[in-house]
Amino acid sequence: MSPSPCPPSLSVISKCTVYPAQKSTLGNLKLSVSDLPMLSCMYIQKGVLFTRPPMSINAFVALLKQGLAQTLTHFPPLSGRLVTDASGYVYISCNDSGVHFVHANAGDLTIRDILSPSDVPDSVKLFFTFDETVSYEGHFRPIVAVQVTELADGVFVGCTVNHAVTDGTSFWNFFNSLAEVCRGVKRISRPPDFTRNYVKDSQAVLEFADGGPKVSFDANAPIRERIFHFSREAIQELKARANGRTLIPIAEIIGKQSNDELKIKKGELPCPNGRITSSLDILLLLRGAGGENTVDRSKEISSFQALSSQLWRSVTRARKLNPGKETTFRMAVNCRHRIEPRMDPYYFGNAIQSIRTAATAGELLSRDLQWCAGLLHGNVVVHDDATVRKGVEAWEQEPRVFPLGNPDGASITMGSSPRFPMYDNDFGWGRPVAVRSGRANKFDGKISAFPGREGGGSVDLEVCLAPETMSALEADTEFMQYVSASTARSLC
């Protein structure tokens, strides 16, 4: 990370261990073939920024501790520890050892300080504990750490969780449940499923040298980190391009809005879905009037695939790679709905695989967005039950940890998801202002996707790149024409 010229100060007010309100009866849970590779990854670090709560900070800290104790009774693995038996199998011992809790103060910082700079400021990294902790260390330290940091005009709730225990789906289910409990909900709406049913009960084991695995990238390499915001209209324009449909500029979409809505109200145009959703829906309807209004969804490139393709092309151009250099785009996908029979959507643990798509730099930049998006789309579509099981079998033949990093300087790794309910976290006084993450698992080419605060299909991309690559990306007009100011920054 590039150091701040004047690092802000943070004082720790208190530390303690929070225990579940009721003792666990769950016992041991064996790590799956999707959990084990994550033992070399750092703990997940995600958190939410709020305006100041309508109570004293001490009252909020007390509320959060009480809510955390109650929520942990629904998530026993999070208050346990990792154990390895004599045969090398790794388990989560749901032994009620508790989670780490920190109350800190960064009163010199404001919400504007966090959101206004173009780059994510280093001060955000202060909002998380267990910094750069590798998941294997869950054998020796808590699986979860929660830090509440008071700002001059707000509060940040940061959560650090062992990546061998949860993936993004499980992480946000826990976080959402914590918010529900703190808000006074008596029964959480999405109980986790602890069935160990990820494909099969594998007999494969990982062997580690003394001290456990190390991260597979240089965590101290200089990178710039920035949040790029894409509105719903920008995303849909990219999707239209990727699917080869008529492209109408965003400015024209906005300009036609009042006229088209008036025509619908007069009955001169049919109303999509029985209601006017936006001028974009109207224009997409107009584009489809020539026979394109029926779309085969199995063949259609998705909004996120279109955005990912544009990012892949623009970052490749910014890196100034040799045309013959192979580039790769890795995308983490949720397998809960991909295997048969389908898993519970709130299966607790890791149920993810990485889809790899490759092309030379010359191919990406000489062809259009539709070609590039077609590559990503094709690989996602065929990642079905058979493909998931084939990946599991290949891993069992050669067990290994997940290789994070960008050793050849030509890779992009996409994590997280704009479908995660990151803004469904109301602790009692409204939704978050923004979502941010710590320094964990960040390197040149690591991208994380968040939903935009305004919803509706908007997306935020947290982009980590080498400084010179980021500068070149910011000068890429094809990419930057789709970037806009987020609603979070407008709240500053």
Side-chain angles (χ1 to χ4, degrees):
M1 295 292 176
S2 301
S4 295
C6 183
S9 61
L10 179 138
S11 58
V12 174
I13 307 301
S14 65
K15 296 181 181 180
C16 69
T17 300
V18 175
Y19 300 95
Q22 300 176 20
K23 289 190 176 298
S24 170
T25 59
L26 196 56
N28 290 346
L29 299 179
K30 186 179 178 183
L31 294 191
S32 74
V33 293
S34 193
D35 298 322
L36 289 169
M38 302 300 172
L39 286 169
S40 66
C41 297
M42 296 175 184
Y43 277 47
I44 299 171
Q45 293 180 319
K46 295 287 190 297
V48 286
L49 176 65
F50 292 95
T51 56
R52 181 176 290 278
M55 63 187 83
S56 70
I57 187 64
N58 289 334
F60 175 61
V61 168
L63 172 67
L64 196 58
K65 287 181 182 178
Q66 181 182 16
L68 182 57
Q70 295 172 351
T71 307
L72 287 172
T73 64
H74 301 286
F75 293 83
L78 296 182
S79 56
R81 299 291 185 272
L82 297 182
V83 295
T84 300
D85 69 13
S87 299
Y89 299 123
V90 185
Y91 297 84
I92 309 167
S93 175
C94 303
N95 57 14
D96 301 315
S97 293
V99 306
H100 189 56
F101 188 94
V102 177
H103 172 201
N105 180 281
D108 294 338
L109 289 172
T110 66
I111 291 175
R112 181 179 294 275
D113 293 331
I114 304 304
L115 301 182
S116 291
S118 59
D119 285 20
V120 177
D122 283 351
S123 55
V124 171
K125 311 307 181 288
L126 301 174
F127 301 158
F128 299 90
T129 189
F130 287 8
D131 210 21
E132 299 186 348
T133 298
V134 176
S135 292
Y136 184 85
E137 294 183 38
H139 285 82
F140 321 113
R141 61 168 67 196
I143 286 172
V144 172
V146 175
Q147 179 173 316
V148 180
T149 305
E150 181 181 10
L151 309 179
D153 56 354
V155 64
F156 191 93
V157 181
C159 190
T160 304
V161 181
N162 191 299
H163 207 334
V165 176
T166 72
D167 60 8
T169 298
S170 296
F171 177 97
W172 287 109
N173 189 26
F174 165 68
F175 210 117
N176 296 161
S177 299
L178 174 60
E180 280 186 324
V181 172
C182 289
R183 200 168 61 245
V185 174
K186 299 301 181 184
R187 179 175 297 181
I188 63 173
S189 59
R190 297 175 289 272
D193 172 60
F194 298 110
T195 306
R196 297 286 89 184
N197 63 343
Y198 182 74
V199 181
K200 61 187 296 188
D201 181 17
S202 176
Q203 301 304 303
V205 298
L206 281 172
E207 297 183 359
F208 300 110
D210 292 343
K214 309 298 182 184
V215 294
S216 54
F217 60 93
D218 181 2
N220 297 314
I223 61 171
R224 281 182 58 194
E225 177 183 346
R226 177 172 171 177
I227 305 290
F228 291 98
H229 178 71
F230 302 86
S231 67
R232 180 182 188 275
E233 289 75 17
I235 295 287
Q236 291 298 321
E237 186 179 349
L238 274 167
K239 182 178 180 179
R241 276 185 59 202
N243 284 286
R245 292 197 288 265
T246 304
L247 185 63
I248 299 179
I250 294 174
E252 186 177 342
I253 290 174
I254 297 172
K256 286 178 174 288
Q257 180 170 12
S258 59
N259 183 50
D260 291 332
E261 288 181 358
L262 181 61
K263 287 184 178 181
I264 285 179
K265 290 175 182 177
K266 289 181 177 180
E268 297 173 15
L269 281 175
C271 183
N273 301 320
R275 61 188 178 91
I276 299 174
T277 53
S278 76
S279 58
L280 181 70
D281 293 320
I282 298 166
L283 292 180
L284 288 176
L285 183 69
L286 289 171
R287 281 205 293 267
E292 202 181 348
N293 47 346
T294 301
V295 178
D296 184 347
R297 297 296 178 184
S298 67
K299 297 180 180 178
E300 186 180 46
I301 292 166
S302 73
S303 302
F304 190 60
Q305 290 161 5
L307 175 60
S308 296
S309 300
Q310 182 61 65
L311 177 76
W312 189 13
R313 283 165 47 84
S314 294
V315 170
T316 298
R317 182 160 46 233
R319 283 174 167 164
K320 299 177 175 60
L321 300 175
N322 185 294
K325 177 71 172 178
E326 183 179 74
T327 69
T328 58
F329 191 100
R330 293 184 179 273
M331 180 183 296
V333 294
N334 185 359
C335 295
R336 288 168 175 81
H337 62 284
R338 296 179 184 275
I339 64 172
E340 299 295 341
R342 290 193 174 193
M343 301 165 64
D344 188 294
Y346 299 108
Y347 166 85
F348 188 86
N350 287 276
I352 54 177
Q353 286 185 342
S354 177
I355 297 179
R356 179 184 183 273
T357 303
T360 66
E363 287 175 321
L364 284 184
L365 301 182
S366 63
R367 308 248 188 160
D368 59 12
L369 180 69
Q370 187 175 11
W371 182 86
C372 179
L375 290 181
L376 293 182
H377 175 73
N379 282 340
V380 171
V381 168
V382 300
H383 206 87
D384 56 8
D385 175 77
T387 306
V388 171
R389 294 180 185 278
K390 187 181 298 183
V392 169
E393 292 172 0
W395 186 87
E396 287 182 307
Q397 294 174 8
E398 187 183 351
R400 60 199 180 279
V401 294
F402 191 73
L404 281 177
N406 181 17
D408 65 353
S411 298
I412 291 177
T413 299
M414 177 69 76
S416 197
S417 171
R419 294 183 177 181
F420 289 159
M422 301 181 186
Y423 286 94
D424 295 353
N425 289 294
D426 181 355
F427 284 83
W429 70 97
R431 299 167 67 245
V433 174
V435 177
R436 291 292 184 267
S437 63
R439 75 174 75 243
N441 300 313
K442 289 182 175 175
F443 47 85
D444 174 27
K446 175 62 187 298
I447 319 294
S448 294
F450 304 155
R453 186 178 190 274
E454 67 268 34
S458 60
V459 176
D460 288 340
L461 291 184
E462 178 191 76
V463 178
C464 298
L465 293 171
E468 63 277 10
T469 303
M470 182 69 83
S471 296
L473 180 65
E474 292 169 331
D476 188 306
T477 55
E478 183 184 29
F479 179 78
M480 293 301 294
Q481 68 176 316
Y482 298 105
V483 178
S484 62
S486 70
T487 55
R489 291 185 67 180
S490 67
L491 292 172
C492 293

